[in-house]
Amino acid sequence: MQAKSTILSLPTEELVHPGTRACTGCGLSIAYRVGLKALGRDTILVVPPSCLTVLQGLFPVASTKLPCLNVTFASTAAAAAGILATLKAQGNEHTTVAGWAGDGGTSDIGLQALSGAAERGDNFIYFCYDNEGYMNTGVQRSGTTPIGAITANTPFKGKLQQKKDVPAIMAAHHLSYVAACSAAYPLDLYDKIKNCLALPGTKYFHIHIPCPPGWGYDPRYGIKIGRLAVETGYYDLYEIVNGEFKLTAASEKLIEKRKLVPVREYFRAQSRFRTLTEAQIGDIQKTIDEKWAGYYKKDE
Amino acid sequence: MHIIENGNAAAALGVKLCRASVIAAYPITPQTPLTEKLSEYVESGEMKAEYIPVESEHSALAVCIAASSAGARTFTATSANGLLYMHEQVQWASGARLPMVMCVVNRAVGAPWNVWNDQQDSISQRDTGWIQIYCADHQQIIDTVIKAYWLAEQVSIPVMVCYDGYILSHTFMPFDLPDQEQVDSFLPPFQPDYFLNPQDPANLNTVTLPDVRMDVRGELAHGYMEIRCLLQEDLRKALQTAAEAEKRFAGIFNRGADPYIEPYRCDDAEHVAVGLGSITYQMRVCVDQLRTEGIKIGVMGVRYYRPFPDEAIAAALKGKKGVIVVEKALSYGYEGALMSDLKSALYEHLAGTGSLPVVQNFIAGIGGREIRTDDLTQTLRAAAKGRVSKEPVWIGLRL
């Protein structure tokens, strides 16, 4: 394990040009910028249609300084496998291949190809940036939209079903590395990428991405809301290295504190949860407390 | 060297000789023996390539699209619903101008389920911007695979090599196996102008606007429409390149013919039966029989279906009394797709010349229904006498 990075120790070279087409306050801008710094110049990217397609710009202008293949919605992981196979055939063992897909492109339409690549053990890093909905098409529900969230196609009652636990699905593929990160904790993301680069097979990253237009908050509060998700114990930062689960960064610190911020604060900061009743929030709080009781127990 | 093998093996041998470096495939009958053969070549070390056993056809083409974008010579093969499942990727591959080769081992599409041969699968992909070539025997399969790679890489357009499931894929036939040195001299290593490369990064297939747009150097870059128009123009020009491929191939391998069509006893014929693939060789038997009865009839196989060799077809059919198009697929709601395309070519080149033939359409062998040579002969005999029907007529139908 390397020493923890600080904002001053990050590489100064930017691989994403400033002035992208992302929305103001977009959490993805942070995660992508820092993520590419960790991946470095010798990387080939694969991107399906998503907010990132827009962030990257319109032909013939591109905001990313790395080679990038835009592919069909369902095929991110399979395309990564194709690039890897080519690099292998060319005798290139140094270039990193990384897929960056949204939560719809991962948990819904892209899950089959991702599962296939993970089962084959294709040696690449897959990033799911999870803004919890089809934000690029106008905020529709996805497999990872949380229960209670109002979206364009769950307009009155909010989503009735639980968020799909994609990192757990990926962990069930016996991967060498699975990580849950957040755009609000970019250094944790950076260090995790650095930690997994040398590991074999498919590496999976799930990144929680606050989204001002999709979640309904003032763009300046993105980091605050991303942190609230972690401080309330609602969304946890962790890594699973060769099957070994470990909370990291702010989530790890919560173990010592033994105190979570009430999840109500997270919900009340976003308009998408406006129809959640106190009773519903109470139920969710109970689930969170039970989850954390498990974490505390493991720690004892 | 002459060998006796099945059609799938002929395709696999062709791919091996072409030194494809990335192969991805998902099993579907009747394609499986072809891709199994390739996995054998790769696993035994006989072929230096990466073989990716993907979890779907959609991913098979995703692997090939990405590998081709990264500079590899790629291969995949499929049939029927596998091809339909790929459809989005089929369009993507041609839009991205990737010179890949895919074999389609023709099979009927569901519903209802049917694993036998017809050509509805590849015909349904007619408008995807791929070059589409139909084979009538095993020699054509292996030769076409080799020519297809050269052609694809010349014009940066993917090629579908189509051959009938079972009738060709699973039957054994003698054919000449080209020497590796000869194939190497015909087909140089794949060197794309651009490939995914961290030393020279570019963003491929980005969102492209309806209109042209200035790049950072102040030059106008294509809009979506320009890019799509160039695909159409280059596809049409590919007819010329196909002729070059045929000439080059003949120069090295001492065999070859008209690249677009394959006429048999057509010179003095009053009627010409037209089709795609193995049925055209079956119709040669019918034609030989009808010739003994004094019916002046020939048969013409159409090898290139896209780009459509309209000029060659119209020239070959000029002055004929009747054209009988026999197809193993149709555009539901109208008629056979080849029928419509052929009529359009005749109209374009012969309208007003007074030599427009009467064109009739027959549908045969759907879902593997046996096409009895006697029935086919009787069909051609009746069609040569006069127009049987305005609508397509199904041969051997028992409604």
Side-chain angles (χ1 to χ4, degrees):
Chain A
M1 196 72 45
Q2 292 169 316
K4 285 196 162 66
S5 299
T6 67
I7 198 75
L8 295 174
S9 66
L10 293 188
T12 50
E13 188 187 20
E14 299 293 345
L15 296 174
V16 185
H17 292 283
T20 71
R21 300 185 81 91
C23 304
T24 308
C26 173
L28 174 60
S29 303
I30 302 166
Y32 193 54
R33 178 181 170 204
V34 172
L36 295 201
K37 279 176 187 266
L39 290 168
R41 275 251 178 216
D42 192 13
T43 303
I44 297 175
L45 302 169
V46 184
V47 174
S50 62
C51 292
L52 186 49
T53 323
V54 177
L55 183 152
Q56 297 211 93
L58 304 169
F59 181 78
V61 176
S63 65
T64 304
K65 292 187 202 170
L66 298 179
C68 175
L69 185 65
N70 289 275
V71 299
T72 59
F73 213 172
S75 65
T76 311
I83 293 169
L84 273 170
T86 307
L87 294 175
K88 208 168 159 195
Q90 292 164 346
N92 176 340
E93 287 174 5
H94 51 82
T95 301
T96 303
V97 179
W100 282 81
D103 48 285
T106 301
S107 73
D108 295 338
I109 196 168
L111 192 58
Q112 175 178 306
L114 174 58
S115 175
E119 180 267 332
R120 289 189 304 270
D122 294 330
N123 184 9
F124 72 108
I125 309 178
Y126 188 101
F127 295 92
C128 167
Y129 64 92
D130 182 10
N131 50 24
E132 303 190 321
Y134 289 88
M135 301 320 192
N136 195 35
T137 46
V139 195
Q140 294 83 21
R141 81 188 280 288
S142 80
T144 70
T145 301
I147 191 165
I150 299 280
T151 67
N153 59 353
T154 53
F156 307 121
K157 296 179 194 162
K159 189 183 166 188
L160 300 174
Q161 300 83 8
Q162 296 283 354
K163 180 184 177 86
K164 193 188 282 190
D165 189 350
V166 186
I169 294 170
M170 296 319 295
H173 288 73
H174 312 293
L175 302 185
S176 62
Y177 196 82
V178 173
C181 307
S182 164
Y185 297 91
L187 297 175
D188 176 58
L189 170 66
Y190 182 89
D191 285 340
K192 282 172 173 166
I193 296 172
K194 285 290 184 194
N195 287 346
C196 84
L197 277 174
L199 293 174
T202 308
K203 278 79 67 179
Y204 178 80
F205 278 73
H206 201 89
I207 314 172
H208 201 224
I209 300 286
C211 168
W215 294 8
Y217 62 84
D218 191 302
R220 67 187 146 148
Y221 294 130
I223 298 297
K224 192 179 161 196
I225 283 169
R227 284 187 180 171
L228 262 178
V230 171
E231 288 160 359
T232 54
Y234 178 76
Y235 180 89
D236 305 330
L237 307 175
Y238 61 82
E239 61 184 3
I240 307 173
V241 187
N242 293 316
E244 205 69 32
F245 177 95
K246 183 180 168 292
L247 290 172
T248 64
S251 293
E252 193 182 12
K253 284 185 190 134
L254 286 178
I255 291 277
E256 294 156 28
K257 278 194 191 162
R258 289 284 197 278
K259 188 167 165 43
L260 304 172
V261 175
V263 74
R264 180 185 297 102
E265 286 188 32
Y266 175 67
F267 289 138
R268 293 302 180 223
Q270 305 165 59
S271 71
R272 64 173 170 158
F273 292 115
R274 63 188 174 273
T275 58
L276 266 187
T277 61
E278 284 301 314
Q280 285 172 310
I281 291 175
D283 287 346
I284 295 169
Q285 184 67 62
K286 211 176 134 207
T287 314
I288 292 171
D289 291 343
E290 281 166 8
K291 179 179 72 177
W292 277 87
Y295 289 156
Y296 299 147
K297 207 173 162 195
K298 254 199 234 162
D299 183 53
E300 277 158 11
Chain B
M1 181 179 65
H2 272 78
I3 60 167
I4 298 177
E5 258 299 355
N6 63 48
N8 276 331
L13 286 162
V15 174
K16 179 158 84 86
L17 286 167
C18 290
R19 302 183 188 278
S21 65
V22 175
I23 299 159
Y26 186 77
I28 185 166
T29 302
Q31 154 264 38
T32 33
L34 157 55
T35 50
E36 286 165 5
K37 192 61 121 184
L38 289 169
S39 69
E40 276 172 39
Y41 292 151
V42 173
E43 210 168 299
S44 66
E46 213 179 315
M47 187 178 179
K48 206 173 162 294
E50 296 297 317
Y51 183 96
I52 317 289
V54 284
E55 86 301 327
S56 73
E57 287 91 354
H58 194 276
S59 285
L61 214 43
V63 166
C64 291
I65 285 167
S68 187
S69 305
R73 183 173 283 158
T74 69
F75 181 76
T76 188
T78 190
S79 302
N81 288 60
L83 180 60
L84 304 191
Y85 193 38
M86 277 181 184
H87 180 69
E88 179 194 24
Q89 304 283 46
V90 171
Q91 298 261 10
W92 194 270
S94 57
R97 301 297 298 265
L98 298 171
M100 54 179 63
V101 172
M102 165 163 71
C103 281
V104 176
V105 189
N106 290 118
R107 166 185 151 178
V109 302
W113 278 121
N114 176 296
V115 298
W116 294 273
N117 165 246
D118 68 31
Q119 296 171 341
Q120 191 67 35
D121 51 0
S122 56
I123 291 296
S124 76
Q125 304 300 304
R126 178 190 69 172
D127 301 337
T128 54
W130 283 53
I131 293 167
Q132 218 179 64
I133 313 173
Y134 286 80
C135 304
D137 67 13
H138 295 21
Q139 190 69 62
Q140 282 187 12
I141 293 173
I142 188 164
D143 290 357
T144 304
V145 166
I146 297 166
K147 283 180 256 186
Y149 275 108
W150 187 83
L151 173 61
E153 288 167 17
Q154 290 296 309
V155 297
S156 295
I157 295 172
V159 181
M160 238 178 250
V161 177
C162 310
Y163 57 91
D164 290 307
Y166 306 104
I167 296 165
L168 295 179
S169 67
H170 284 61
T171 55
F172 285 74
M173 230 187 255
F175 58 90
D176 178 60
L177 178 67
D179 290 336
Q180 184 68 63
E181 298 76 48
Q182 284 181 309
V183 175
D184 289 342
S185 69
F186 175 78
L187 181 69
F190 175 41
Q191 282 173 326
D193 293 338
Y194 180 77
F195 56 95
L196 290 166
N197 177 7
Q199 266 82 55
D200 182 18
N203 209 311
L204 303 184
N205 315 320
T206 37
V207 178
T208 302
L209 295 170
D211 213 341
V212 295
R213 187 166 187 244
M214 204 83 86
D215 70 12
V216 286
R217 287 175 290 275
E219 286 164 24
L220 276 187
H222 294 320
Y224 179 88
M225 200 155 102
E226 283 70 28
I227 290 170
R228 286 283 157 170
C229 176
L230 286 172
L231 173 60
Q232 161 69 1
E233 282 186 2
D234 291 346
L235 258 169
R236 294 301 295 166
K237 281 189 217 150
L239 281 172
Q240 286 308 314
T241 321
E244 274 171 51
E246 201 66 31
K247 215 171 138 193
R248 257 177 72 85
F249 191 87
I252 293 170
F253 298 95
N254 289 318
R255 63 172 170 268
D258 187 309
Y260 316 127
I261 54 172
E262 203 178 9
Y264 176 79
R265 301 187 82 165
C266 282
D267 285 350
D268 66 336
E270 293 174 350
H271 302 273
V272 176
V274 180
L276 298 164
S278 64
I279 195 174
T280 60
Y281 281 17
Q282 189 181 5
M283 288 198 285
R284 290 181 176 191
V285 180
C286 310
V287 161
D288 288 345
Q289 166 63 31
L290 294 171
R291 284 275 178 172
T292 67
E293 299 170 18
I295 299 171
K296 286 188 162 179
I297 187 165
V299 58
M300 184 179 86
V302 175
R303 297 177 61 196
Y304 273 78
Y305 183 45
R306 280 295 179 275
F308 196 58
D310 56 306
E311 239 178 287
I313 286 171
L317 299 177
K318 190 178 178 186
K320 306 298 180 196
K321 268 195 202 163
V323 175
I324 306 152
V325 186
V326 186
E327 296 185 67
K328 289 181 176 181
L330 79 161
S331 172
Y332 283 91
Y334 191 33
E335 60 187 7
L338 176 61
M339 170 76 171
S340 297
D341 289 333
L342 183 139
K343 281 197 296 194
S344 142
L346 295 182
Y347 183 87
E348 172 63 28
H349 296 283
L350 303 179
T353 63
S355 55
L356 264 178
V358 172
V359 191
Q360 301 186 64
N361 196 195
F362 294 87
I363 307 299
I366 297 300
R369 174 67 63 89
E370 188 184 353
I371 305 171
R372 297 181 59 243
T373 304
D374 284 353
D375 287 351
L376 201 51
T377 307
Q378 177 50 32
T379 300
L380 299 184
R381 189 186 286 122
K385 273 193 190 134
R387 199 171 197 199
V388 177
S389 167
K390 191 182 146 292
E391 296 289 325
V393 178
W394 297 59
I395 301 174
L397 189 70
R398 300 173 73 182
L399 266 183

